[in-house]
């Protein structure tokens, strides 16, 4: 189910940090350029039977409007760009920095639940809402 949004983000709604970021993006997405899909939602496998859940759970993924699947910091950068804050992540896409940033992101993605717990004090949650929490970007 590909939408006409410039970006559809597939994220881990059980991850406290991921949920905080998605809630902030939702708040800033005044133009409704992003469609948010929690891969733990009951309808996920029905709506996206062609996507491999385990691959999506390993790192953030996104669909572009043309159906191209992107992942990792490319998704993060585009999402923040669509809400007018791309400058925050732009340096992570610069050629030399990109290589190191992608390695760091892959480590973060693998250990995101442990890192979330260290930073937020919240363990893996079912599902995280994080309403009312403020994240400044």
């Amino acid at each position: 189910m590909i939408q006409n949004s410039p970006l559809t983000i597939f994220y881990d709604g059980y991850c406290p940090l991921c949920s905080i970021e998605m809630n902030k993006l939702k708040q800033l997405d005044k133009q409704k350029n992003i469609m948010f899909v929690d891969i733990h939602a009951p309808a996920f496998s029905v709506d996206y039977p062609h996507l491999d859940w385990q691959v999506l759970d390993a790192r953030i993924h996104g669909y572009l409007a043309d159906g191209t699947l992107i992942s990792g910091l490319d998704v993060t950068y585009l999402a923040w760009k669509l809400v007018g804050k791309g400058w925050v992540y732009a340096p992570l896409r610069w050629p030399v920095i990109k290589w190191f940033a992608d390695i760091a992101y892959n480590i973060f993605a693998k250990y995101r639940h442990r890192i979330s717990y260290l930073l937020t004090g919240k363990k893996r949650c079912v599902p995280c809402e994080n309403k009312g929490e403020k994240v400044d970007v």
Side-chain angles (χ1 to χ4, degrees), residues 9-23 26 36-42 44 53 56-61 105 108-109 112-113 116 120 122-131 133:
I9 295 179
F10 300 99
Y11 71 96
D12 177 2
Y14 284 14
C15 168
L17 284 177
C18 305
S19 293
I20 289 169
E21 181 178 18
M22 293 306 116
N23 286 331
K26 287 175 190 176
F36 298 88
V37 178
D38 181 349
I39 62 170
H40 296 287
F44 175 79
W53 185 88
L56 293 167
D57 187 48
R59 61 189 298 170
I60 195 168
H61 282 74
Y105 172 79
F108 166 80
R112 68 186 177 275
H113 294 283
S116 289
T120 69
K122 295 181 180 180
K123 295 183 179 181
R124 185 177 173 112
C125 47
V126 184
C128 289
E129 290 296 325
N130 295 313
K131 291 183 180 172
E133 292 190 23

Side-chain angles (χ1 to χ4, degrees), residues 3 7 28 41-42 50 58 70 79 90 95 97-98 101-102 106-107 113 127:
Q3 301 295 322
L7 178 63
L28 294 171
H50 58 289
I70 61 175
I97 296 171
K98 180 179 181 185
D102 287 343
N106 288 333
I107 293 167
H113 294 283

Side-chain angles (χ1 to χ4, degrees), residues 68-106:
T68 302
L69 189 64
I70 61 175
S71 68
L73 289 174
D74 290 335
V75 176
T76 302
Y77 167 66
L78 180 56
W80 287 101
K81 182 178 177 185
L82 288 169
V83 301
K85 304 243 183 214
W87 57 270
V88 174
Y89 288 94
L92 300 180
R93 303 292 78 203
W94 295 347
V96 174
I97 296 171
K98 180 179 181 185
W99 187 85
F100 293 103
D102 287 343
I103 289 172
Y105 172 79
N106 288 333

